[in-house]
Amino acid sequence: MDDLRLALLLNAVSPAVGGVLVRGEKGTAKSTAVRALAALMPDVDVVAGCRFSCAPAAPDPRCPDGPHEATPGTARPARIVELPVGASEDRLVGALDIERALADGVKAFEPGLLADAHRGVLYVDEVNLLHDHLVDLLLDAAAMGASHVEREGVSVRHAARFLLVGTMNPEEGELRPQLLDRFGLTVEVAASREPEQRVEVVRRRLAYDDDPSAFAARWAAEEAALRERIVAARATLPRVGLGDAALRQIAATCAAFEVDGMRADIVMARTAAALAAWAGRTEVREEDVRQAALLALPHRRRRNPFDAPGLDEDKLDETLERFGGDGRPDTDSGPGTDADPDPDTDPPPDGGPGGPGGNDVPPQGQGPDSAASAGQPEPSSPSSPTEPPAGQPEPSGTPAASAAERAAERAGEPFRTRTLSVPGLGEGAAGRRSRARTEHGRTTGAHRPRGALTALHLSATVRAAAPHQHARGRRGPGLVVRRDDLRQAAREGREGNLVLFVVDASGSMAARRRMGSVKGAVLSLLLDAYQRRDKVGLVTFRGDAAELALPPTSSVDAAAARLGELPTGGRTPLAAGLLKARDVLRVERLRDPSRRPLLVVVTDGRATGAGGGDALALAGRAARLHAAEGTAAVVVDCETGPVRLGLAGDLARDLGGTAVTLDELRADSIAGLVRDVRAAADTRTATATGTRTATGTGTGSTVRDRRAA
């Protein structure tokens, strides 16, 4: 919380720092801290009557309320404008009076939240849940310092320079990289674990609830002193000197941590200067550069959404020390040299490689991969003792059926996957996966508005109004338009789906050490789901039952964490996994009927259990239940080896979906992959006859899909 307080105050001193992103678990007073900033911000001088908060000393020459005459202006409190997650585009950028624009040619513009936030703070709670089209508008305004509204030939532009502050709970999903980089600073907050601090929090909260006015009066003097310090720091800031030594330290730090682009360097420089001004100094010191790095770099080091933000402070101190003094590198203490003239050559106390408790490195031949490193062959036959024939239960004495589970295996490297989508035209939340009717996208037609008009179809409106001009007594150049003439544009874009992964974690999946490749494939699909703005869920099955490892969520990194911890072993209750997935989808349809599901089953198609040979039949029945409910499905076939049974292809046929191998899942694969699940239905119709031979060769429906493609 001290870091959060400091980051907000630095932005109050120097709005050029670029805002704050506050990450943290629920209930940590993120929103309370941000809203408290309003009482500390100095007043703003504005042109009297200007809806766009133009500065009297330098009014915007293109202000829609201008031109402004030179006036002393008036002072008003700085604003903190809140952008709700569910806000419309018109509420954010402003709205035009379409009827007056068409009839009278008047640019009747109602300013939006961007205009209200000019020269103030724009606060977005749960910013990671903000719709993509609003994110795009924020990015444009933040980059240009202005908001442009271009609609049906009517153009309005106004200044929009604001301090962007966002709060988020990482459990609910991550931010788009472009918006993440727009935040100057980031802070990770968590509730205190100290009982005394928690007691004080509760005590103050209860005191506020009992008498808010008395509580505010109690802290009024401290707030006034803090406000005066902000004003003094603002006055000091122009005199702060940022010497070459500090600049070299900043550049060296950004280069050492391999951040993308140059924005990090600029933000660090501005933050270091603000820190010096806040301390009442006119020169930037090394401690300012260090603190600026801790605030400005953690969120810029992420290479994919599964990386946790953070900074190696030891590496930071080493870099600052190396480029300290005159700012030039110390060649005597660079990498590969020993700066200690009298190094400690004593062995570790326990004689191990890592000092105390340093038995992290296992002796040769005892590590988890010792069998492979020693050249021992891995089982390759389907009749291996650890992988029984399909439809047969595992012997009770085998490792796969024992109570002891195999340890979680590390996932393979993720790769770019082919696009998997849901057939048809949906109406779900905006995303990037499947076709849908959306408010933004390609215009495909027009219809009468159902409720408020949100997207005018100009030509359809003109065509509807044109036949009635004589009857309406039109005399001038303007078109006489009535509300009944207005037409809503029908647009087609992309939606986000619910991607529910059903992952086979049984002993058969681990028999040939395939789980690493399987986890790598699922991790790749999770990365794809993140980029396409999907919700994801994870069902696993092994032993005697299936479990919901992760309820549907927007946090794909939470799914990746659960996947990494997934152990393997036991039987293959495929039917239980499919039935558990059906229960999850049934509940989600009630919660969010417009979000269409995509079922991704990752398995080799085997099914074993107490039912013996009936396990495959039970799995087939469970799959057909999904098909009857119209659930789009993809089976990722994990079967390997020279002899393939094609059970995953049979499962895909029962699901009414498509089967793809791990190799075909790659976007750069030369194999033909059916890109849309709809093609599975067409394939079954076109190849209903004469394909049984292909099915029996072991490639299953993959052969038929490739032939159809």
Side-chain angles (χ1 to χ4, degrees):
M1 299 304 293
D2 291 337
D3 287 343
L4 172 57
R5 185 173 182 269
L6 177 62
L8 292 173
L9 290 171
L10 291 177
N11 276 275
V13 171
S14 175
V17 166
V20 187
L21 174 64
V22 188
R23 299 164 49 93
E25 58 195 20
K26 52 188 176 293
T28 50
K30 301 185 295 294
S31 302
T32 302
V34 173
R35 294 188 178 103
L37 183 64
L40 303 177
M41 298 283 287
D43 290 347
V44 178
D45 291 330
V46 298
V47 174
C50 178
R51 298 174 297 167
F52 301 89
S53 302
C54 284
D60 182 6
R62 299 178 60 184
C63 176
D65 286 355
H68 298 298
E69 297 180 358
T71 58
T74 60
R76 64 160 176 79
R79 295 172 178 165
I80 291 189
V81 179
E82 295 194 32
L83 171 60
V85 170
S88 66
E89 181 178 340
D90 287 346
R91 186 70 190 98
L92 178 61
V93 301
L96 295 171
D97 189 333
I98 300 296
E99 292 185 51
R100 290 189 63 191
L102 287 174
D104 304 327
V106 176
K107 294 182 181 179
F109 180 71
E110 183 67 26
L113 295 178
L114 290 180
D116 294 341
H118 179 48
R119 303 178 66 202
V121 178
L122 182 63
Y123 170 49
V124 189
D125 193 13
E126 304 295 348
V127 64
N128 51 323
L129 303 182
L130 199 63
H131 288 301
D132 273 1
H133 68 283
L134 297 182
V135 171
D136 292 337
L137 294 170
L138 276 182
L139 289 174
D140 289 342
M144 305 298 295
S147 175
H148 295 263
V149 182
E150 303 281 350
R151 295 187 180 178
E152 281 74 37
V154 180
S155 176
V156 175
R157 176 240 177 239
H158 64 84
R161 290 183 293 275
F162 49 84
L163 185 66
L164 183 61
V165 180
T167 56
M168 60 174 284
N169 183 349
E171 294 178 357
E172 297 178 345
E174 288 294 342
L175 276 176
R176 282 172 55 180
Q178 297 93 331
L179 183 57
L180 187 65
D181 191 50
R182 284 291 174 185
F183 286 97
L185 310 179
T186 186
V187 178
E188 195 89 20
V189 298
S192 172
R193 298 297 184 260
E194 293 294 330
E196 290 303 320
Q197 291 187 11
R198 298 175 74 95
V199 166
E200 184 62 21
V201 169
V202 175
R203 184 181 291 119
R204 292 189 187 184
R205 175 68 203 197
L206 295 178
Y208 173 81
D209 291 340
D210 289 341
D211 192 344
S213 299
F215 185 86
R218 174 185 171 189
W219 298 97
E222 186 172 335
E223 283 191 350
L226 203 54
R227 189 183 306 110
E228 292 175 1
R229 186 177 175 186
I230 292 174
V231 173
R234 282 190 173 187
T236 304
L237 185 62
R239 304 196 305 272
V240 173
L242 191 64
D244 289 344
L247 284 174
R248 288 194 181 93
Q249 283 186 320
I250 291 171
T253 301
C254 293
F257 286 100
E258 299 179 350
V259 296
D260 295 330
M262 296 295 297
R263 184 173 284 118
D265 304 62
I266 297 172
V267 170
M268 272 191 65
R270 290 171 174 167
T271 305
L275 282 162
W278 179 247
R281 291 184 272 102
T282 56
E283 78 283 346
V284 172
R285 299 177 181 175
E286 182 175 312
E287 57 263 31
D288 300 326
V289 176
R290 186 183 191 278
Q291 184 64 55
L294 292 174
L295 294 173
L297 296 188
H299 61 302
R300 293 185 165 90
R301 294 202 61 241
R302 305 186 72 190
R303 289 295 178 263
N304 64 64
F306 309 133
D307 293 338
L311 209 64
D312 185 344
E313 295 194 32
D314 291 337
K315 182 178 179 180
L316 173 61
D317 292 336
E318 179 185 346
T319 303
L320 293 176
E321 182 180 357
R322 185 182 176 204
F323 286 84
D326 61 355
R328 300 186 183 278
D330 183 358
T331 56
D332 294 333
S333 59
T337 62
D338 191 353
D340 188 355
D342 185 19
D344 184 5
T345 57
D346 293 338
D350 65 350
N359 294 323
D360 297 333
V361 181
Q364 186 174 3
Q366 296 182 14
D369 298 326
S370 58
S373 61
Q376 296 180 8
E378 296 179 358
S380 58
S381 171
S383 60
S384 168
T386 57
E387 188 174 12
Q392 297 296 327
E394 288 91 338
S396 58
T398 62
S402 64
E405 297 175 341
R406 289 182 174 87
E409 191 169 340
R410 177 178 295 181
E413 286 296 322
F415 51 83
R416 190 167 64 91
T417 66
R418 293 292 185 95
T419 302
L420 304 174
S421 60
V422 178
L425 197 63
E427 295 182 346
R432 297 182 178 181
R433 183 171 297 279
S434 305
R435 295 173 55 227
R437 299 182 185 91
T438 61
E439 294 183 358
H440 306 273
R442 179 173 57 91
T443 301
T444 59
H447 57 80
R448 291 181 181 273
R450 305 180 187 94
L453 180 72
T454 57
L456 178 73
H457 195 293
L458 181 60
S459 61
T461 300
V462 171
R463 287 196 301 270
H468 308 290
Q469 297 305 296
H470 180 71
R472 293 173 182 173
R474 173 185 170 185
R475 295 293 183 268
L479 192 66
V480 181
V481 179
R482 305 282 171 81
R483 181 162 294 277
D484 290 343
D485 302 328
L486 300 179
R487 294 295 182 267
Q488 175 84 19
R491 293 174 176 170
E492 181 179 315
R494 293 281 171 176
E495 67 176 359
N497 299 112
L498 167 59
V499 182
L500 182 61
F501 294 93
V502 182
V503 180
D504 184 349
S506 64
S508 66
M509 294 293 290
R512 297 194 184 107
R513 304 183 64 82
R514 294 180 299 204
M515 205 59 194
S517 299
V518 169
K519 287 186 177 182
V522 178
L523 198 64
S524 304
L525 290 169
L526 284 172
L527 182 59
D528 182 68
Y530 164 77
Q531 294 169 342
R532 299 184 186 280
R533 307 294 178 264
D534 295 317
K535 289 181 68 175
V536 296
L538 179 63
V539 171
T540 64
F541 58 93
R542 59 187 175 88
D544 297 322
E547 65 171 337
L548 180 59
L550 181 72
T553 175
S554 297
S555 177
V556 295
D557 53 344
R562 300 292 174 88
L563 182 71
E565 300 166 357
L566 181 65
T568 57
R571 296 187 175 92
T572 313
L574 177 57
L578 295 173
L579 292 176
K580 172 63 73 172
R582 183 169 177 257
D583 291 341
V584 173
L585 294 180
R586 176 178 55 81
V587 173
E588 287 302 309
R589 285 190 181 100
L590 296 176
R591 291 177 177 172
D592 191 356
S594 62
R595 188 179 290 270
R596 298 186 295 163
L598 175 62
L599 186 67
V600 179
V601 185
V602 185
T603 181
D604 57 6
R606 294 172 180 269
T608 58
D614 294 333
L616 279 176
L618 290 174
R621 285 184 216 160
R624 287 189 287 275
L625 290 175
H626 283 281
E629 294 170 353
T631 302
V634 175
V635 178
V636 180
D637 185 0
C638 303
E639 191 173 29
T640 58
V643 179
R644 302 183 62 192
L645 303 178
L647 297 176
D650 296 337
L651 176 64
R653 184 167 58 253
D654 289 332
L655 285 167
T658 303
V660 297
T661 65
L662 290 175
D663 289 337
E664 289 174 326
L665 194 61
R666 294 178 179 270
D668 55 357
S669 173
I670 61 173
L673 173 66
V674 181
R675 292 179 179 271
D676 197 310
V677 181
R678 181 202 294 270
D682 300 336
T683 301
R684 290 197 306 274
T685 303
T687 61
T689 59
T691 57
R692 282 296 175 184
T693 302
T695 304
T697 61
T699 55
S701 64
T702 303
V703 170
R704 297 194 301 279
D705 293 345
R706 188 180 300 139
R707 181 183 303 166

